[in-house]
């Protein structure tokens, strides 16, 4: 019997990663191309389809069969896999019928969701939340995003905006401008770039180039760098407590580059989270994501109906 596979795609602002996924959530035949963000949205979709065809050809050459394509994409993604709105990182991305174009180019059924939803789906299926009926993944990196998964399905919301957890108010943000154009949002104080901004604003070394440098200074014992990271961790922990009070997931999964800060960040996040959570929600397991860059690829593959074993 011919073995069946799916192609999962993680389409971001700088790179696009492809993986062939089997029915157990294992990833094979990884492939990566630059995201040519300035070639226009529809041409970018076609270029992505060409990348998918590369891995499809590898599967068929080995006697396998690809039954469908799933995509986790930057932007707000609608019910038909179209890009409803997006930031300006990708030129003319808003309005692109992404899934339709890739299906047309490859001849395979294609489905798409937001990239963080795909990440959460991957961890829910085969990663840190694999045994949980529901899970909330929150990623703290260049931005802050999230995804709530219940019984294998992502909460998308009426306007497909669910998961924008970086853009609700934080008591530590006050009037601090957020990259989205608003003020007072969690992302303004808890994302990676916010740590660097706070370090400089509180009298840190003006020659420091980025958050990575601030982390190195903190590990070396520099107090202003430690303080900047701890401030972001406090904001993250309070927000996680608030989110768990509202959504009450069985498992809370942490992802993104801030997790790599380890003991500089995580103990404070957990302390503030436990303090902010109510009642039995304080007992919610707080775990680190397990799948790394494979998570959105695996999660995208789960979009294909009746493919992965559930």
């Amino acid at each position: 019997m011919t073995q069946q596979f799916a192609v999962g795609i993680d389409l971001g602002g700088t790179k696009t990663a492809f993986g062939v996924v089997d029915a157990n959530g294992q990833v094979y035949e990884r492939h990566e191309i630059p995201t040519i963000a300035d070639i226009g949205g529809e041409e970018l979709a076609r270029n992505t389809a060409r990348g998918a065809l590369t891995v499809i050809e590898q599967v068929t050459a080995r006697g396998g069969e690809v039954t469908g394509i799933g995509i986790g994409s930057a932007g707000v993604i609608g019910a038909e896999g179209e890009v409803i709105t997006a930031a300006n990182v990708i030129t003319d991305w808003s309005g692109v019928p992404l899934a339709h174009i890739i299906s047309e180019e490859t001849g395979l059924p294609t489905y798409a969701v937001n990239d963080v939803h795909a990440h959460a789906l991957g961890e829910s299926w085969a990663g840190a939340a694999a045994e949980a009926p529901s899970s909330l993944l929150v990623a703290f990196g260049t931005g802050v995003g999230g995804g709530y998964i219940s019984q294998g399905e992502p909460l998308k919301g009426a306007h497909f905006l669910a998961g924008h957890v970086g853009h609700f108010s934080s008591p530590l943000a006050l009037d601090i401008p957020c990259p989205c154009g608003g003020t007072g949002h969690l992302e303004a104080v808890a994302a990676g770039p916010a740590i660097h901004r706070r370090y400089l604003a509180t009298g840190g070394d003006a020659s420091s180039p980025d958050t990575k440098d601030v982390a190195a200074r903190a590990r070396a014992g520099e107090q202003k760098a430690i303080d900047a990271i701890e401030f972001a961790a406090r904001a993250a922990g309070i927000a996680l407590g608030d989110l768990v009070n509202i959504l009450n997931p069985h498992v809370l999964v942490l992802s993104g580059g801030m997790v790599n800060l380890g003991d500089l960040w995580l103990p404070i996040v957990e302390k503030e989270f436990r303090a902010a959570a109510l009642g039995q929600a304080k007992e919610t397991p707080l775990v680190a994501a397990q799948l790394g860059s494979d998570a959105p690829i695996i999660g995208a593959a789960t979009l294909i109906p009746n493919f992965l074993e559930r």
Side-chain angles (χ1 to χ4, degrees):
M1 182 177 177
T2 302
Q3 187 173 5
Q4 295 187 332
F5 298 91
V7 170
I9 303 175
D10 178 19
L11 197 167
T14 58
K15 67 179 177 66
T16 300
F18 304 80
V20 175
V21 184
D22 71 11
N24 296 308
Q26 296 296 310
V27 181
Y28 308 88
E29 310 288 0
R30 293 171 181 84
H31 178 59
E32 187 174 299
I33 61 174
T35 299
I36 308 173
D38 59 356
I39 62 172
E42 294 197 4
E43 183 56 31
L44 176 58
R46 293 187 183 92
N47 193 54
T48 303
R50 289 189 283 271
L53 286 169
T54 297
V55 293
I56 291 167
E57 288 168 2
Q58 293 172 343
V59 173
T60 55
R62 297 185 183 185
E65 178 187 4
V66 174
T67 62
I69 298 172
I71 310 166
S73 171
V76 177
I77 310 299
E80 302 301 320
E82 75 280 16
V83 183
I84 298 175
T85 58
N88 295 326
V89 174
I90 299 175
T91 303
D92 297 329
W93 197 227
S94 297
V96 172
L98 176 62
H100 174 76
I101 289 173
I102 291 182
S103 179
E104 190 174 59
E105 295 287 324
T106 62
L108 290 171
T110 302
Y111 308 86
V113 292
N114 168 265
D115 50 2
V116 184
H117 286 166
H119 194 150
L121 280 166
E123 292 291 342
S124 173
W125 161 243
E131 303 298 323
S134 67
S135 60
L136 172 64
L137 178 141
V138 183
F140 294 92
T142 304
V144 179
Y148 181 79
I149 309 297
S150 179
Q151 303 298 331
E153 296 294 331
L155 175 66
K156 297 178 182 177
H159 303 99
F160 304 95
L161 287 166
H164 279 71
V165 298
H167 303 288
F168 74 105
S169 297
S170 167
L172 300 188
L174 297 176
D175 295 326
I176 296 174
C178 180
C180 74
T183 57
H185 294 174
L186 176 65
E187 187 169 297
V189 288
I195 292 174
H196 184 242
R197 290 194 299 269
R198 183 165 183 83
Y199 172 73
L200 296 178
T202 54
D205 186 340
S207 70
S208 173
D210 52 29
T211 302
K212 184 178 179 180
D213 175 73
V214 176
R217 291 170 181 270
R219 291 190 181 96
E222 184 182 326
Q223 192 58 50
K224 287 188 183 299
I226 293 169
D227 290 346
I229 292 172
E230 290 185 349
F231 185 82
R234 286 179 57 211
I238 292 167
L240 292 173
D242 291 346
L243 289 166
V244 165
N245 291 340
I246 296 167
L247 295 170
N248 197 207
H250 289 81
V251 177
L252 179 59
V253 181
L254 291 182
S255 184
M258 296 303 95
V259 177
N260 297 329
L261 293 173
D263 288 345
L264 292 170
W265 184 80
L266 186 57
I268 296 165
V269 171
E270 182 156 15
K271 177 184 176 182
E272 296 293 342
F273 159 61
R274 303 290 176 197
L278 297 175
Q280 290 177 305
K282 294 179 183 295
E283 301 169 10
T284 305
L286 182 65
V287 299
Q290 296 177 352
L291 299 178
S293 59
D294 280 347
I297 290 171
I298 294 170
T302 70
L303 301 173
I304 300 164
N306 303 317
F307 177 68
L308 294 189
E309 296 175 354
R310 293 189 178 276

